């Protein structure tokens, strides 16, 4: 939305994505989705949607994990992490667990969609988009 923040989600297989919604990202449903018929599984801010609904016509960008720090320093913030990803089955189990049990309310600074995705992937909630934002203020 507005091009400032990319949206992050966890692909859990079967063309489904679990993501943290938020004030800035309510998926719209302009027309019935051919893939899922606009089927949504929602628990508070956590939502499971099909990949087409998630992308809303945008292209996929894969967030890289475990990249060397020297490379990380030269990359666009919010596209990668130097922390390695957990194995896929653990990542998916974490995302599904949050869908069932809920995640803390969305907050742009402390708890955004990137936090959710990175936390599922690594067990550490770090948002480099917010790190950048914080650095600018300081
Ligand atoms: Zn859909």
């Amino acid at each position: 939305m507005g091009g400032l923040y990319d949206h992050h989600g966890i692909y859990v297989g079967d063309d489904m994505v679990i993501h943290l919604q938020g004030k800035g990202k309510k998926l719209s449903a302009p027309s019935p989705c051919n893939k899922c018929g606009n089927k949504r599984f929602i628990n508070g801010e956590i939502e499971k949607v099909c990949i087409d609904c998630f992308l809303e016509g945008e292209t996929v960008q894969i967030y890289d994990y475990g990249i060397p720090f020297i490379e990380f320093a030269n990359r666009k913030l919010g596209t990668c992490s130097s922390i390695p990803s957990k194995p896929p089955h653990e990542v998916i189990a974490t995302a599904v667990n949050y869908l069932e049990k809920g995640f803390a309310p969305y907050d742009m600074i402390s708890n955004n969609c990137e936090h959710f995705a990175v936390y599922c992937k690594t067990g550490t909630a770090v948002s480099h988009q917010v790190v950048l934002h914080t650095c600018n203020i300081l």
Side-chain angles (χ1 to χ4, degrees), residues 4 40 54 66 70 86 92 98-99 106 112 120 127 129-130 134 137:
L4 279 174
R40 301 280 166 89
F54 179 76
I70 186 75
K86 296 195 284 187
I92 292 169
Y98 278 126
L99 180 67
Y106 183 96
N112 67 24
C120 289
S127 167
Q129 292 181 49
V130 171
T134 306
I137 291 168

Side-chain angles (χ1 to χ4, degrees), residues 2 6 12-13 15 35 54 64 70 72 105 112-113 123:
D6 296 326
V12 295
D15 284 334
K35 188 164 273 184
F54 179 76
D64 294 321
I70 186 75
F72 172 71
N112 67 24
C113 59

Side-chain angles (χ1 to χ4, degrees), residues 8-118:
H8 298 261
I10 299 290
Y11 181 75
V12 295
D14 295 328
D15 284 334
M16 300 301 285
V17 175
I18 294 177
H19 71 116
L20 183 71
Q21 296 191 94
K23 304 173 194 85
K25 184 72 180 184
K26 293 277 185 234
L27 295 181
S28 53
S31 55
C33 176
N34 291 330
K35 188 164 273 184
C36 72
N38 301 85
K39 212 183 284 175
R40 301 280 166 89
F41 305 86
I42 301 169
N43 182 2
E45 302 285 314
I46 307 290
E47 184 180 54
K48 184 163 98 167
V49 299
C50 93
I51 186 79
D52 285 1
C53 288
F54 179 76
L55 290 174
E56 293 185 299
E58 302 287 327
T59 52
V60 159
Q61 280 187 301
I62 306 296
Y63 195 101
D64 294 321
Y65 289 87
I67 65 166
F69 191 78
I70 186 75
E71 188 186 330
F72 172 71
N74 291 315
R75 292 278 294 267
K76 183 171 172 274
L77 291 169
T79 62
C80 58
S81 173
S82 56
I83 304 164
S85 174
K86 296 195 284 187
H89 67 274
E90 276 187 42
V91 173
I92 292 169
T94 302
V96 168
N97 189 52
Y98 278 126
L99 180 67
E100 289 168 356
K101 304 225 169 84
F103 195 70
Y106 183 96
D107 178 275
M108 190 62 92
I109 298 301
S110 66
N111 192 9
N112 67 24
C113 59
E114 187 182 5
H115 283 130
F116 174 74
V118 172

